[in-house]
Amino acid sequence: MYINGQWIESDKTFGVINPATGEEIGRVVDGNQSDAAAAIDAAHAAQKSWQATTAYERSAILYKAWQLMMAQHEALAELMTREQGKPLKASRNEVKYAADFLLWFAEEAKRIYGETIPSGRSDQRFIVQYQAVGVVAAVTPWNYPISMLTRKIGPALAAGCTVVLKPAESTPLCAIAVIKILEEAGVPAGVVNLVTALDPKPIGTEFCTNPKVRKLTFTGSTAVGKKLATDAAPYLKRVSMELGGHAPFIVYEDADPVHAAKGATLVKFLNTGQACISPNRIYVHKNIMGPFIETITARVNKMKAGNGMDAGIAIGPLVNDAAVAKAQNQVQDAVSKGAVVHTGGQRLVADGLDQGFFYAPTVLSGVTNDMLIYSEETFGPVAAIIPFDDDDDIIAMANDTHYGLAAYIYTQNLKKAMRTFEGLEFGIIGINDINPTSAAAPFGGMKSSGLGREGAREGLMEYLETKLGGFSI
Ligand code: ADP
């Protein structure tokens, strides 16, 4: 743990497991509620002086952190693959994406402009300034164990906030590596603090109920996000919630089914399906179903599962046994109700994969709305294909979920693209595009997918209070 600029050791530790091999790759301190309180005290004590630094000073530190992260790019990617399991190439992409947030917010720190507003009174002037919210408590997930940290810490520091971070219990080593970079970049003692813990609940309780925390930012499941937002509500803390998704991927009849299937394969199996923007319902017009299924199945058959450190691996392990069981259960349920398995459909155990948590990349067609996979987030490598034939119904079908994070549309028809874009109740929409994400673009969901946005200018505003001055002159 890292509290008030000190690395804290303890006899009480927990192990970190490589999900590809089941081996323990490290042990970290098992923190408790009083550690979280101490970290909050440190962040609170550092808040005033950090907030008083100039935007240029904060920007320089973030810029230095960006440089350090890029310099350690390969080592960080290898650590991520060992700890989280994604193929090395995907880890490299994530480190770059993570570093992008440091650079973007280093730049944006200098552009927290206020405004002047004309008054109806000739003796009055209005000015608006933005100032740091205060101490930020951040809870982050295991699926993107570096970029989800910089996406919160970058804007928080740029805004002049101090931070206490609790990373996911399965990926604390990546979090430690990020904090070391921030320390080396010159972040003063107390400004960023790290509490690692096997049981997140007591830390969450402290984050939600300690009045010194003014903002809670969370990325994870909808169930936990709702609980934390509820617990923080009596204290009227600001909350940002980046939660689950159930992305529709709509392929209209006029789209090129081969091109769309290639896109669907890339985005569905990204991070072995463990992404909140992963397509969970792939709606394909029935007249182009044949070539779509043929292409996606052929592509998936070429995907090799294994340890992400090995060359040519496209499918890494799932996070744990429960994740394998969930994918298995959804596939069995779908098949029992009439879905067809084109490839995959079972746990992978051959060639030593039984030591890790591997599920075969799977393509299912004939999925219907009575199947679990139609409404439950999969978070695994299962592509669920649903036929449709009426364009007038498809937007309502896609919106028929309590989630509202990402959606994808494939069409060559501009009018259809625009109408669907405007009709979908989702925060991030790719139109003939499978990667509508960037440090410069707002990321976040509607409905049960969350509150607030991360990245972009909006991601910075989440850490700022608006202050109005009315001057009588
Ligand atoms: P996932 O299903 O992706 O693991 P979770 O929502 O369980 O998502 O986990 C995301 C983050 O939330 C992790 O850092 C985890 O430790 C944390 N978390 C889970 N339960 C709680 C809780 N009750 N209070 C605070 N944090 C929690």
Side-chain angles (χ1 to χ4, degrees):
M1 294 193 297
Y2 184 70
I3 298 176
N4 205 20
Q6 302 293 321
W7 287 97
I8 315 263
E9 304 280 335
S10 161
D11 293 340
K12 218 174 154 235
T13 60
F14 64 98
V16 182
I17 305 295
N18 180 336
T21 62
E23 285 162 356
E24 186 172 293
I25 55 167
R27 298 193 70 79
V28 299
V29 175
D30 190 8
N32 57 30
Q33 190 163 346
S34 56
D35 295 318
I40 293 166
D41 282 343
H44 190 252
Q47 176 61 43
K48 274 209 170 74
S49 56
W50 178 244
Q51 192 170 345
T53 57
T54 66
Y56 282 79
E57 288 167 303
R58 297 194 298 274
S59 172
I61 289 175
L62 285 169
Y63 187 77
K64 178 80 183 154
W66 169 70
Q67 286 178 315
L68 290 168
M69 189 170 275
M70 290 310 288
Q72 295 171 30
H73 187 267
E74 193 60 18
L76 288 168
E78 285 177 13
L79 173 65
M80 192 188 297
T81 294
R82 279 205 311 276
E83 189 179 39
Q84 193 269 333
K86 68 184 65 172
L88 195 53
K89 194 172 153 206
S91 293
R92 290 185 183 122
N93 288 342
E94 184 183 336
V95 176
K96 165 77 174 55
Y97 182 51
D100 281 352
F101 287 105
L102 297 172
L103 179 59
W104 168 266
F105 287 109
E107 292 160 343
E108 285 301 286
K110 294 177 277 184
R111 299 187 187 107
I112 303 176
Y113 302 141
E115 61 183 343
T116 63
I117 297 171
S119 166
R121 275 172 35 205
S122 63
D123 70 331
Q124 188 183 46
R125 303 290 179 268
F126 284 132
I127 67 163
V128 175
Q129 281 189 3
Y130 297 100
Q131 70 180 47
V133 165
V135 175
V136 172
V139 178
T140 52
W142 48 267
N143 59 340
Y144 287 89
I146 296 191
S147 58
M148 295 303 98
L149 278 56
T150 54
R151 192 156 84 170
K152 297 181 188 307
I153 297 171
L157 296 187
C161 296
T162 58
V163 180
V164 180
L165 167 70
K166 192 216 75 69
E169 51 276 23
S170 52
T171 53
L173 300 178
C174 280
I176 289 170
V178 170
I179 300 296
K180 284 193 169 152
I181 285 174
L182 294 169
E183 181 188 32
E184 199 183 334
V187 172
V191 171
V192 174
N193 305 273
L194 170 72
V195 179
T196 48
L198 182 59
D199 180 4
K201 292 186 201 73
I203 316 295
T205 300
E206 190 63 27
F207 282 3
C208 291
T209 59
N210 188 321
K212 288 179 180 164
V213 172
R214 291 315 311 147
K215 164 149 189 132
L216 181 68
T217 173
F218 172 80
T219 299
S221 61
T222 294
V224 174
K226 282 184 177 171
K227 174 170 180 359
L228 295 178
T230 304
D231 292 351
Y235 301 85
L236 283 182
K237 295 182 190 210
R238 291 188 163 216
V239 292
S240 291
M241 294 281 152
E242 208 277 275
L243 309 177
H246 205 278
F249 187 108
I250 302 168
V251 188
Y252 283 109
E253 188 179 7
D254 67 82
D256 172 355
V258 172
H259 179 64
K262 286 178 184 169
T265 317
L266 282 169
V267 62
K268 174 67 238 181
F269 296 97
L270 190 71
N271 211 18
T272 314
Q274 301 174 113
C276 48
I277 59 167
S278 190
N280 226 113
R281 290 165 293 148
I282 303 175
Y283 294 101
V284 179
H285 195 278
K286 70 176 182 8
N287 293 346
I288 53 166
M289 188 60 89
F292 187 92
I293 291 179
E294 213 172 286
T295 307
I296 192 170
T297 305
R299 293 240 147 188
V300 170
N301 281 336
K302 284 196 201 134
M303 289 181 152
K304 200 161 163 237
N307 187 331
M309 297 299 272
D310 298 339
I313 295 299
I315 296 287
L318 292 176
V319 61
N320 53 28
D321 252 326
V324 175
K326 188 178 192 189
Q328 186 115 303
N329 184 42
Q330 286 191 358
V331 171
Q332 278 166 2
D333 167 79
V335 170
S336 75
K337 292 172 181 160
V340 176
V341 177
H342 295 271
T343 184
Q346 78 283 331
R347 187 176 186 146
L348 295 174
V349 289
D351 304 324
L353 295 189
D354 57 333
Q355 301 303 309
F357 311 114
F358 288 93
Y359 194 79
T362 299
V363 177
L364 285 181
S365 72
V367 169
T368 49
N369 63 7
D370 57 334
M371 299 175 185
L372 276 179
I373 199 164
Y374 194 91
S375 51
E376 196 183 84
E377 190 179 23
T378 306
F379 239 61
V382 184
I385 302 172
I386 304 145
F388 77 95
D389 59 7
D390 189 345
D391 286 4
D392 292 339
D393 290 344
I394 192 65
I395 295 177
M397 283 163 76
N399 285 338
D400 185 20
T401 167
H402 65 280
Y403 290 114
L405 189 58
Y408 305 86
I409 308 163
Y410 271 70
T411 179
Q412 295 307 315
N413 182 318
L414 184 59
K415 197 160 152 178
K416 212 176 268 186
M418 186 54 89
R419 285 203 175 146
T420 315
F421 171 66
E422 291 187 351
L424 287 174
E425 294 163 350
F426 292 82
I428 305 160
I429 304 185
I431 296 114
N432 299 317
D433 188 84
I434 51 158
N435 188 18
T437 57
S438 152
F443 186 107
M446 301 180 181
K447 294 153 76 177
S448 290
S449 289
L451 290 172
R453 295 292 180 271
E454 294 194 306
R457 180 159 177 79
E458 283 183 64
L460 186 57
M461 295 309 291
E462 299 277 338
Y463 297 91
L464 292 165
E465 290 279 13
T466 301
K467 185 177 273 182
L468 171 72
F471 292 76
S472 189
I473 56 164

